[in-house]
Amino acid sequence: MTTSTVTTPLHATARELVGTGRGILAADESISTMSKRLEGAGVAPTGTNRRDYRELLVTTPGLADGASGVILCDETLRQSLTDGRPFPVACAELGILPGIKVDTGAKPLAGAPDETVTEGLDGLDDRLAEYAEMGARFAKWRAVLTISGTTPTRWAQAANAHALARYARSCQEAGLVPVVEPEVLMDGAHSLSECASITESTLLSVTRALTAAGVDPAGMVLKPNMVLPGAECPQQSSPAQVARATVEVLRCAVSPRLAGVAFLSGGQSPETATANLAALQELDVSWPLTFSFGRALVSPALEAWGGDPDHVADGQAALAHHVDANAAVLRDDRSSERTG
Ligand code: 13P
């Protein structure tokens, strides 16, 4: 799978996701995470309210101008809009590729106290076939690594890289573009250079595993963290410093043949995430660099909506504002020439 230079449908989908000056909306919180966020906004955590909120997001007028795809969770993929259209059908009709989170969450990793491995490989091939049949075009799997005096261990990096690679290979065999998300969390007081070194070793181990699994880099999207100082680090970094550190790590740790890199926001404020994404566009790299933000796009929308049907338009305006701001920085520069 790695050697072909022929353009395949997977390549075309991956390019549509990350090479068209748009980003990916991550709206795939699990039922329990979404329920907590709804409760935090004063909204009852029911299946109908989770559906209404996701409907608000995907039907935002003009969303497809800035978002090429949306990642949904299993519950939403099986739900329908109030007009009766199943979510994946409605997304496709709205010009947005529907994606599906297929991991089942980060669970304690034996042999690594305080660390996790992301699970979900059991029965994965059958689930991928079903999701593809339902209209999903791409998938997501998130691994989580933490920086502390003793973590991440090589064992946690290797276990997560192995699972990501098996997932990615299965996706490509099912005709879905894998979004491969190894996230080094920004929690902690570590420095920018510590984050750079841990992100580099994490991505190197993911790249090695992807190669061993025969994953075609041109038919996948990498979704890493930006290289950032920890949230509690007294010395914060400018967007230019973040961009330089991030690109240096990517250049030495990932395949130049990747379809693209779509960053997660990881708890950055919407404004900081956008400023860092803008600085990343200034640097010369071989991949489109775009966004696949969750919280940095949807938190303002949830707050503006607050579960009130009279405030759906406010929630949509908040989402559109942040999607447009991020898409604008992608188009402001040479990235459109790179991605053609
Ligand atoms: P954040 O942008 O909120 O980090 O979410 C991205 C995501 O998809 C997490 O899996």
Side-chain angles (χ1 to χ4, degrees):
M1 229 175 215
T2 46
T3 50
S4 167
T5 50
V6 176
T7 299
T8 66
L10 268 183
H11 296 168
T13 304
R15 227 178 278 145
E16 190 175 339
L17 274 175
V18 291
T20 53
R22 298 180 293 164
I24 303 169
L25 170 62
D28 60 322
E29 300 90 341
S30 65
I31 291 178
S32 78
T33 301
M34 192 65 244
S35 296
K36 279 188 214 122
R37 292 202 182 143
L38 286 176
E39 283 179 307
V43 184
T46 63
T48 304
N49 284 338
R50 288 191 295 273
R51 192 279 310 271
D52 289 350
Y53 170 61
R54 266 62 178 258
E55 176 166 344
L56 173 161
L57 297 177
V58 303
T59 59
T60 292
L63 183 64
D65 295 340
S68 54
V70 58
I71 316 173
L72 303 170
C73 68
D74 180 88
E75 179 186 54
T76 314
L77 200 79
R78 296 177 192 283
Q79 288 176 323
S80 295
L81 273 55
T82 41
D83 66 12
R85 285 179 299 166
F87 266 86
V89 172
C91 289
E93 288 178 2
L94 290 162
I96 304 161
L97 294 173
I100 175 76
K101 188 246 301 290
V102 302
D103 68 68
T104 56
K107 307 284 161 56
L109 172 62
D114 303 325
E115 293 190 285
T116 61
V117 63
T118 299
E119 296 191 344
L121 290 169
D122 287 354
L124 179 62
D125 291 350
D126 291 342
R127 287 193 290 127
L128 292 175
E130 185 191 6
Y131 291 141
E133 181 68 31
M134 291 169 74
R137 304 286 303 283
F138 70 102
K140 181 193 108 170
W141 180 293
R142 171 177 178 253
V144 189
L145 288 309
T146 49
I147 302 181
S148 74
T150 53
T151 64
T153 58
R154 284 186 183 222
W155 168 227
Q157 287 177 314
N160 278 291
H162 182 77
L164 278 166
R166 281 191 59 194
Y167 140 82
R169 179 69 196 224
S170 285
C171 282
Q172 291 191 334
E173 291 190 1
L176 298 173
V177 170
V179 172
V180 171
E181 181 178 5
E183 175 173 9
V184 177
L185 295 178
M186 61 186 276
D187 301 348
H190 52 267
S191 64
L192 182 77
S193 67
E194 283 171 295
C195 180
S197 125
I198 298 293
T199 302
E200 182 177 318
S201 62
T202 299
L203 291 178
L204 280 169
S205 103
V206 170
T207 299
R208 266 194 305 272
L210 291 169
T211 304
V215 173
D216 178 358
M220 65 161 273
V221 172
L222 181 70
K223 177 167 172 168
N225 52 285
M226 295 175 189
V227 172
L228 302 167
E232 286 93 53
C233 176
Q235 174 102 42
Q236 288 298 310
S237 302
S238 67
Q241 290 169 321
V242 167
R244 249 194 327 272
T246 302
V247 160
E248 266 171 33
V249 165
L250 290 174
R251 279 195 189 122
C252 84
V254 309
S255 167
R257 292 188 53 239
L258 284 178
V261 176
F263 294 99
L264 58 91
S265 62
Q268 300 177 77
S269 72
E271 293 71 24
T272 305
T274 304
N276 288 337
L277 185 68
L280 280 156
Q281 304 305 313
E282 302 295 319
L283 303 176
D284 197 21
V285 291
S286 41
W287 329 266
L289 299 179
T290 184
F291 61 95
S292 177
F293 297 160
R295 285 162 288 175
L297 295 176
V298 299
S299 300
L302 177 57
E303 201 178 313
W305 170 58
D308 184 342
D310 291 340
H311 288 155
V312 167
D314 299 324
Q316 293 183 326
L319 176 65
H321 170 74
H322 289 288
V323 170
D324 292 349
N326 285 293
V329 307
L330 304 182
R331 290 168 189 160
D332 232 22
D333 75 321
R334 294 159 296 155
S335 60
S336 51
E337 287 167 31
R338 278 200 307 269
T339 59

